[in-house]
Amino acid sequence: MDASHQPTLDEIEERLVSLVEGRLTRDEADRWAARWMADDGLDWDDTSWWLLGLLHGIDLPGDGSGSCLHDDEQLRAWLTELRNRRAM
């Protein structure tokens, strides 16, 4: 995918998978999703918009301990939910 075309649901899912597998940082995922969510000229299906919304803000702190608001277990649960939605 290049920077000029809207990502597909497969490409958005790959970002979540990369995050779960540790190949992408939370900051990278957040910045990537923010770029696409800020583009008002794009039209998204519900599942893509939902997933972008999860990725945007994925690096938010949860408390003073340095942990994130959404832990790794929750990321894996979102991936499972995404795959269930896609199977419908």
Side-chain angles (χ1 to χ4, degrees), residues 65-77:
S65 71
S67 64
C68 288
L69 181 60
H70 307 289
D71 63 18
D72 292 343
E73 183 178 330
Q74 191 164 20
L75 297 179
R76 289 187 294 276

Side-chain angles (χ1 to χ4, degrees), residues 20-33:
V20 167
E21 293 177 351
R23 295 181 283 122
L24 188 68
T25 68
R26 287 171 179 263
D27 182 60
E28 290 168 330
D30 171 71
R31 289 173 187 263
W32 181 85

Side-chain angles (χ1 to χ4, degrees), residues 6-10 12-13 32-57 82 85:
Q6 179 174 338
T8 64
L9 182 55
D10 288 338
I12 302 168
E13 180 179 357
W32 181 85
R35 178 262 183 261
W36 294 109
M37 291 189 80
D39 191 332
D40 292 334
L42 301 176
D43 186 34
W44 300 99
D45 62 87
D46 290 342
T47 303
S48 295
W49 188 249
W50 167 77
L51 188 53
L52 281 171
L54 295 177
L55 291 173
H56 181 45
L82 172 63
R85 285 181 182 209

Side-chain angles (χ1 to χ4, degrees), residues 13-24:
E13 180 179 357
E14 178 54 35
R15 294 291 170 148
L16 179 58
V17 169
S18 294
L19 185 60
V20 167
E21 293 177 351
R23 295 181 283 122
L24 188 68

